Amino acid sequence: MPAAHDDDLAFAGVARLAQLVQQREVAPRELVTLYLDRIARLDPILNVFRTVMGDRAMADAAQVERRLAAGEQLPLAGVPIAVKDDTDVAGVSSMCGTGIDVGPASTDSAAVRRLRAAGAVIIGKTHLSEFGAYPVCESATWGVTRNPWDLYRTPGGSSGGSAAAVAAGMVPGATGSDSGGSVRIPAACCGIVGLKGQRGRISTKESPERAYRFHGLNHIGPLTRSVYDAALLHDMMTGPEPDDEIPSPPPAPPLMDALRAPTRPLRIAMSFKPVVPVNVSDEVRRPVLETAELLRSLGHEVVERDPVYPVIAIPAVLAMFMNGFAHEIARLPRTELLERRMQAEARTSRLVPDWVARRAVAAEPRITARSQRRIADFDILMTPVVAMPPVQVGYFEGYGPTRAMLRMLKFIPFTFPQCYSGQPAMSVPVGIDAAGIPEAVHLVSRANDEATLISLAAQIESVQPWIARRPPTELLLSQVG
């Protein structure tokens, strides 16, 4: 049984650990050892990591110690971070949830390189569904990743491995990618913070051999236990790269500045209207309604008001995703190793020509403006993250592409519009339901306004703090022997 001190350290969070390292109260190699031990103990049950970079992480931690001794100021000094396995880490394959190994990446992705520059130590790469196409974390090659709050439920997806790792205290922070909710959905399922900033704020540039990234639908974002940590990691990854697929948005102040500023009274539109007409369960409505009352008590105006999603929005997003998926598949050898459902989706995706995807991209400003007309005078849109609590493991088992898509929309009808519009959005934990499953709310800001988003999220966290809550990991481990 681990010492209570070790558990407290493991759940201390990104900023606190960096502070302890900077104050010489703990060394980077001690942190790596702590988390490697937790991974060795918990990963056989949760199945979070596709690969653990133990020796390299220890060497990188030693290098951080030398940088600190030389006087460098490192905001993430020695903090171990996990990276989703669709984001390149130099010298390691990006398997993207598949069984197809195209060889190690030649360089770090831009986001990973920036994390290293800030002093972070990359400790491993985490599981996802094949190409992140489904909001769970299961694949034929790598098996099932489990939710540390309930081993028989999904941790969400596609960044489910990263979310489960943070929730279980296997790392203090992780990266995810979000093309339709894949940071925010697992954050909600696992009771942590998931932030998707403005499109282009964090470069999605990968190694040269992986240049195609889904017409700008894809965003990279942090998964952490606190809003403060999410802001810190986001700031550390922010910045443009030469030849980025997506132009950078207008410069914005660091999110850490927004945390220090008082939250002004906001107008908040509360909506339970999904993009497609599906049932929204009482279990996910209740925390939104309760948060609305909390926000009113804090001086904000909360009004029920729905966006209007144009019918054309869904085919536009599908065209962009399918065309991007076809390009991703085209670079791979041995596509017969893909799951049968993904092989079928690849055949369908090849039917979407480039010009259709380009037209969908060009239509985005017009479609977004139409959808937001009724809520244009609000600062924030608040919705559920998902339409029902985390689904059982195997939710998509045995379903072909069409039936799986319909089943997926029943679960995640709130999060993909913001990947099309590029707006900042985040999932914020707000409680635990009667079944012991985390509850969350989804906050969306105006374009280029992460500052308001992060400020409001921090205010919610300050009055009902979440960071001390931990999943019953030891109990779950004892139940499975």
Side-chain angles (χ1 to χ4, degrees):
M1 186 69 66
H5 169 75
D6 289 346
D7 269 9
D8 289 343
L9 194 61
F11 285 96
V14 173
R16 177 59 178 155
L17 290 177
Q19 181 185 47
L20 291 172
V21 169
Q22 291 157 353
Q23 294 172 345
R24 305 299 194 267
E25 294 184 36
V26 63
R29 278 180 284 186
E30 291 179 73
L31 290 182
V32 171
T33 298
L34 168 67
Y35 286 110
L36 288 176
D37 287 347
R38 289 185 66 84
I39 291 168
R41 193 161 51 87
L42 299 175
D43 204 45
I45 303 301
L46 297 176
N47 189 32
V48 162
F49 282 90
R50 203 274 295 172
T51 185
V52 178
M53 301 158 52
D55 292 342
R56 182 172 170 185
M58 289 297 286
D60 288 350
Q63 176 63 22
V64 169
E65 291 170 9
R66 290 190 288 272
R67 292 171 65 187
L68 290 168
E72 282 195 61
Q73 299 298 311
L74 302 176
L76 300 178
V79 177
I81 298 293
V83 173
K84 184 178 178 181
D85 197 27
D86 67 347
T87 302
D88 286 344
V89 173
V92 183
S93 298
S94 290
M95 302 288 283
C96 299
T98 76
I100 304 170
D101 189 345
V102 297
S106 59
T107 63
D108 286 334
S109 69
V112 168
R113 176 165 47 79
R114 289 173 184 274
L115 289 173
R116 289 192 195 276
V121 174
I122 308 304
I123 203 168
K125 301 195 74 181
T126 58
H127 287 311
L128 63 153
S129 54
E130 281 199 348
F131 286 103
Y134 288 89
V136 294
C137 197
E138 303 167 27
S139 71
T141 302
W142 305 106
V144 173
T145 298
R146 298 183 181 274
N147 191 323
W149 292 91
D150 182 338
L151 296 180
Y152 301 99
R153 293 181 189 254
T154 183
S158 62
S159 309
S162 287
V166 174
M170 300 164 82
V171 284
T175 72
S177 61
D178 192 318
S179 298
S182 290
V183 164
R184 293 161 286 160
I185 293 161
C189 292
C190 292
I192 60 173
V193 176
L195 171 62
K196 181 200 82 66
Q198 177 67 31
R199 175 166 41 234
R201 190 78 70 199
I202 296 174
S203 173
T204 56
K205 190 171 185 179
E206 300 287 350
S207 55
E209 59 270 22
R210 291 189 63 224
Y212 203 84
R213 299 299 287 179
F214 292 95
H215 301 287
L217 285 178
N218 194 53
H219 300 63
I220 291 175
L223 290 145
T224 64
R225 293 181 56 78
S226 74
V227 174
Y228 190 99
D229 286 351
L232 175 59
L233 284 187
H234 190 278
D235 281 349
M236 293 304 102
M237 291 188 284
T238 290
E241 291 288 317
D243 303 318
D244 267 337
E245 178 200 2
I246 300 300
S248 296
L255 293 186
M256 299 299 285
D257 290 351
L259 292 176
R260 301 182 185 103
T263 304
R264 61 182 174 84
L266 302 173
R267 295 198 74 217
I268 299 168
M270 177 178 64
S271 175
F272 298 100
K273 180 183 178 181
V275 179
V276 291
V278 300
N279 180 59
V280 180
S281 74
D282 290 341
E283 292 95 331
V284 299
R285 286 175 179 267
R286 185 184 62 256
V288 176
L289 290 168
E290 291 174 350
T291 302
E293 288 304 311
L294 172 68
L295 292 172
R296 291 185 182 109
S297 75
L298 296 171
H300 303 291
E301 179 186 1
V302 183
V303 177
E304 191 157 356
R305 183 78 62 84
D306 295 328
V308 178
Y309 300 109
V311 174
I312 190 61
I314 296 175
V317 172
L318 284 175
M320 292 163 65
F321 187 87
M322 291 171 69
N323 181 262
F325 179 57
H327 279 272
E328 283 281 296
I329 295 299
R331 71 179 178 83
L332 294 177
R334 301 201 63 192
T335 54
E336 73 276 7
L337 294 178
L338 292 173
E339 297 169 358
R340 290 179 59 189
R341 182 168 57 212
M342 296 302 290
Q343 292 182 45
E345 291 194 7
R347 290 191 294 270
T348 303
S349 294
R350 285 193 288 269
L351 301 176
V352 180
D354 291 352
W355 69 265
V356 171
R358 288 195 297 268
R359 181 171 291 184
V361 173
E364 181 273 313
R366 174 173 50 85
I367 292 174
T368 296
R370 285 176 58 193
S371 70
Q372 296 178 2
R373 195 171 297 154
R374 293 192 71 241
I375 60 170
D377 56 340
F378 288 86
D379 300 291
I380 294 287
L381 170 67
M382 180 171 66
T383 74
V385 182
V386 289
M388 64 181 83
V391 296
Q392 296 288 313
V393 164
Y395 179 75
F396 293 104
E397 190 69 32
Y399 287 84
T402 302
R403 293 175 65 204
M405 175 63 70
L406 294 173
R407 197 162 173 80
M408 177 165 62
L409 291 173
K410 292 180 179 180
F411 182 34
I412 59 156
F414 290 102
T415 54
F416 60 84
Q418 299 80 38
C419 289
Y420 185 50
S421 69
Q423 291 169 266
M426 66 189 300
S427 174
V428 181
V430 294
I432 300 178
D433 68 15
I437 302 302
E439 298 174 322
V441 296
H442 185 221
L443 304 177
V444 183
S445 73
R446 293 190 175 107
N448 301 304
D449 191 15
E450 292 100 325
T452 297
L453 187 71
I454 208 80
S455 176
L456 180 62
Q459 187 181 37
I460 294 171
E461 185 179 68
S462 70
V463 295
Q464 48 182 35
W466 173 268
I467 194 168
R469 294 182 175 178
R470 304 173 187 174
T473 309
E474 297 302 329
L475 174 62
L476 294 174
L477 289 175
S478 68
Q479 289 174 344
V480 296

